Amino acid sequence: MLLAFSVAPTVAADDTGSVSDAVARAIRIVRDSGLPHRTDAMFTTIEGEWDECMAVVKRCCDVLAETSPRVGLVLKADIRPGFTGELDGKLERLEDALDRQRDE
């Protein structure tokens, strides 16, 4: 499965409204998980089995809850049993389709 998620404390650490330090603690958990992953400006996507992906998301929420009274979480999943390498595979197929359309 591919699981895209965004997790953040609902209370910023200072008056700038930035939550980057808190999010960095969550991303450290993702990186330490050993799962294939990619982080962009809005979401982090991880690839693995249901239980291992959900365990990472739970740990991310738990670490933010240590310093925030409330945590926001957004999830989107692509559940496709039997497929691996989709973190890159989906993008490669998209680029191939764009190349074919440009040549038409």
Side-chain angles (χ1 to χ4, degrees):
M1 91 183 300
L2 290 176
L3 192 141
F5 72 103
S6 174
V7 61
T10 58
V11 179
D14 57 36
D15 60 358
T16 68
S18 177
V19 295
S20 59
D21 285 340
V23 172
R25 290 193 303 275
I27 297 306
R28 176 61 45 214
I29 290 169
V30 171
R31 291 182 177 179
D32 291 346
S33 75
L35 294 177
H37 62 277
R38 182 172 293 132
T39 298
D40 61 37
M42 295 293 293
F43 286 92
T44 293
T45 303
I46 55 179
E47 183 170 13
E49 296 300 319
W50 179 275
D51 290 340
E52 59 189 357
C53 287
M54 290 302 190
V56 169
V57 171
K58 182 180 185 322
R59 287 195 303 274
C60 290
C61 290
D62 289 347
V63 77
L64 295 187
E66 291 173 3
T67 58
S68 177
R70 194 172 192 179
V71 175
L73 172 67
V74 176
L75 293 171
K76 181 176 181 178
D78 181 359
I79 304 164
R80 196 172 184 195
F83 285 78
T84 59
E86 291 298 280
L87 193 62
D88 293 319
K90 289 179 82 166
L91 292 176
E92 290 166 2
R93 290 190 299 276
L94 174 63
E95 291 298 330
D96 289 346
L98 288 167
D99 288 344
R100 284 193 311 274
Q101 289 174 7
R102 182 179 43 226
D103 294 340
E104 293 175 357

